[in-house]
Amino acid sequence: MAGQGLTGSYFLAVVLFSGILDASLPVLQLRAVVGEIFIHELEREGFLDYFTDHSELSSDPPITFHANLLDHPDLPQWLRYIQRTPFQTGYLYGSATDREIGTQTIEVTAYNRDTYETVRQTLVISIVPSPDGEMPYQADFFVKNWNVEEVLPTEVHELFQQAVDSMWEQEGLVVVNISSALDRGGRVPLPIENRKEGIYIKVSSKDPFTECLTEAKSSENLHRCKLEQQPVITCYDSFSPRFRVDWCNLTLIDLTDVNATEMVTVFGDGVLEPGPEFNPPEDAPDRLFFYDFLLTFLLPLIFGLLLCLILAYIMCCRREGIYRRDMKTSDIQMVHHHTIHDNTEELREMSSTRDVPRPLSTMPMFNVRTGERINPMQNSRYDSAQVPLILAQQ
Ligand SMILES: *[C@@H]1O[C@H](CO)[C@@H](O)[C@H](O)[C@H]1NC(C)=O
Ligand SMILES: *[C@@H]1O[C@H](CO)[C@@H](O)[C@H](O)[C@H]1NC(C)=O
């Protein structure tokens, strides 16, 4: 019993300890060069030893990572993270730009997905400018048969670099950027074996493009691309079969051109240059508004007065209007009288000569269904007014 209690309290102490101190790996110092791909592997093995729970169940536990800039929720813009499954290596990768020169501290948290234990690691990345200076000639390749995390191990992207080397003879070739096609609008491939997302690899050099590279952009090949045919390139053998480069999606960027024309932004001191000020004209000609006044006030007034006069004349002097011209008032009354009289006479005559029987429906006591007619006088005993409403009470 005492032994059990001891182990129990020991376990509690470990849990408390790990809770308070949060197991963490030693701080790692890293270096990133502007304009070159930076890759850091988050190896599962490195973190495994720091998890305190070594039960048999989790001898090879699934581990996932979370990385963020210190005191921030997410990674800096230039850095990306990928881990395909919890049983594979995670990668931090990206390409820093001039704006990021300095030191950045990245916090990595590893989660044991079986025990929910966490282990922390701090990475201090010093970002330094490129020692080689500018590399103005850049080529962006689209490789169809790789996933991004497969290319990130050094030996793989060095193979690719060698393949480019044989095409583009120059001094030093640098891989600038590696990104998944998914980051650039690509589609997730169907879950069929050997279908890959595809990657974009950008390499840069000090030396201009060779004919081998520019060949892919010849007008003839561009036309073939439009027809969805493979362009004809004489020296692309160095890539296949390992790297299936889509030559139609090759982008060649010549920064020397761009720099000379567009990229140069000149910032002013924020103060407007002194220039000619606006001088208001001193002697504007006087304008006469009298006629405008007459037009807007007097014209409607005169028009209104005229209407008033006409109306007054009609009301006072010509009150009886049209009738007066032809006949006297008594004549009109006589016409009215005669019309009414004649109409009444006519109606009387019409009613006396009527010999059509009255419609059945107007007869009293007419049965609608049988058409039977009962003389209301004979059945006066059954006058509805004398029949009790509720028979059962009789
Ligand atoms: C690298 O690629 C990513 C994804 O396409 C892009 O967002 C980023 O701007 C690129 N970085 C450089 C320095 O080209
Ligand atoms: C390849 O480039 C063409 C245009 O040049 C574009 O329409 C197409 O989406 C690109 N394909 C991929 C997978 O990026």
Side-chain angles (χ1 to χ4, degrees):
M1 285 296 271
Q4 261 183 15
L6 252 176
T7 38
S9 56
Y10 166 75
F11 181 71
L12 198 72
V14 166
V15 168
L16 277 179
F17 230 74
S18 59
I20 293 162
L21 287 181
D22 204 3
S24 59
L25 274 71
V27 174
L28 205 61
Q29 299 283 343
L30 299 167
R31 189 166 168 277
V33 178
V34 169
E36 265 179 49
I37 187 85
F38 164 87
I39 298 168
H40 175 65
E41 294 187 11
L42 298 168
E43 280 180 71
R44 287 157 33 84
E45 290 72 32
F47 291 86
L48 262 181
D49 296 338
Y50 289 84
F51 291 121
T52 50
D53 188 2
H54 291 291
S55 61
E56 269 172 38
L57 177 104
S58 53
S59 60
D60 186 25
I63 295 173
T64 58
F65 301 94
H66 175 84
N68 61 281
L69 190 63
L70 189 69
D71 299 329
H72 289 76
D74 209 347
L75 284 171
Q77 204 184 359
W78 66 277
L79 204 57
R80 276 157 286 149
Y81 162 76
I82 190 162
Q83 185 193 24
R84 185 67 51 172
T85 69
F87 296 98
Q88 282 175 321
T89 308
Y91 290 94
L92 286 173
Y93 67 103
S95 178
T97 61
D98 285 331
R99 269 172 293 149
E100 279 101 19
I101 288 177
T103 314
Q104 287 189 340
T105 308
I106 308 291
E107 244 182 348
V108 177
T109 313
Y111 295 86
N112 182 331
R113 288 285 156 186
D114 278 347
T115 61
Y116 298 102
E117 222 179 313
T118 59
V119 172
R120 238 164 241 257
Q121 185 176 31
T122 306
L123 314 175
V124 179
I125 305 177
S126 335
I127 300 156
V128 295
S130 166
D132 305 326
E134 271 206 347
M135 300 260 195
Y137 296 96
Q138 303 188 333
D140 204 7
F141 296 87
F142 176 51
V143 186
K144 291 183 275 193
N145 60 333
W146 289 85
N147 279 341
V148 68
E149 78 280 0
E150 298 167 339
V151 186
L152 291 175
T154 318
E155 56 287 0
V156 180
H157 64 254
E158 269 179 1
L159 268 180
F160 183 82
Q161 204 173 325
Q162 278 163 23
V164 181
D165 254 331
S166 64
M167 234 184 139
W168 188 359
E169 299 105 16
Q170 31 63 56
E171 285 172 17
L173 198 71
V174 170
V175 176
V176 180
N177 208 353
I178 298 178
S179 56
S180 169
L182 299 186
D183 290 343
R184 294 181 38 177
R187 288 198 202 161
V188 176
L190 290 172
I192 300 171
E193 221 178 330
N194 292 329
R195 295 263 180 139
K196 300 296 170 81
E197 290 163 3
I199 50 155
Y200 283 92
I201 301 188
K202 195 191 254 182
V203 294
S204 72
S205 161
K206 273 190 163 142
D207 296 339
F209 306 118
T210 54
E211 210 160 287
C212 254
L213 273 174
T214 48
E215 212 179 357
K217 293 281 146 196
S218 68
S219 55
E220 189 188 314
N221 278 335
L222 286 181
H223 182 67
R224 282 176 144 266
C225 283
K226 229 174 234 170
L227 302 176
E228 299 191 359
Q229 291 174 349
Q230 271 298 313
V232 183
I233 291 175
T234 46
C235 48
Y236 65 79
D237 290 340
S238 53
F239 292 95
S240 59
R242 206 188 293 268
F243 299 102
R244 278 179 42 226
V245 176
D246 185 347
W247 291 107
C248 288
N249 284 58
L250 175 71
T251 318
L252 300 178
I253 307 154
D254 187 348
L255 288 179
T256 52
D257 267 7
V258 183
N259 276 346
T261 53
E262 300 157 35
M263 295 276 276
V264 187
T265 337
V266 181
F267 291 101
D269 52 5
V271 181
L272 268 181
E273 280 174 28
E277 285 172 13
F278 174 69
N279 285 317
E282 266 159 36
D283 47 341
D286 289 336
R287 269 190 73 189
L288 216 56
F289 289 104
F290 182 66
Y291 296 109
D292 292 313
F293 167 78
L294 286 188
L295 202 71
T296 47
F297 279 85
L298 281 187
L299 196 72
L301 211 69
I302 289 169
F303 192 66
L305 266 175
L306 216 70
L307 275 179
C308 267
L309 285 178
I310 292 170
L311 214 66
Y313 169 71
I314 290 172
M315 293 299 283
C316 305
C317 317
R318 297 182 63 91
R319 192 192 281 229
E320 274 156 329
I322 293 161
Y323 290 117
R324 206 177 161 186
R325 248 181 266 156
D326 306 315
M327 52 181 92
K328 287 177 194 139
T329 317
S330 56
D331 289 348
I332 296 168
Q333 280 171 356
M334 281 306 289
V335 169
H336 279 190
H337 177 81
H338 280 295
T339 327
I340 294 167
H341 188 256
D342 289 353
N343 286 348
T344 323
E345 281 296 299
E346 197 187 340
L347 275 173
R348 287 222 179 98
E349 218 168 285
M350 278 167 74
S351 69
S352 65
T353 56
R354 183 168 65 186
D355 51 359
V356 186
R358 287 174 70 188
L360 287 180
S361 58
T362 60
M363 303 295 278
M365 304 306 279
F366 166 71
N367 189 320
V368 182
R369 264 178 296 139
T370 58
E372 187 188 357
R373 245 188 293 176
I374 302 153
N375 190 342
M377 291 340 230
Q378 281 173 9
N379 298 319
S380 61
R381 288 179 294 144
Y382 297 111
D383 189 3
S384 64
Q386 287 161 15
V387 176
L389 282 174
I390 301 170
L391 292 165
Q393 282 179 356
Q394 262 186 337

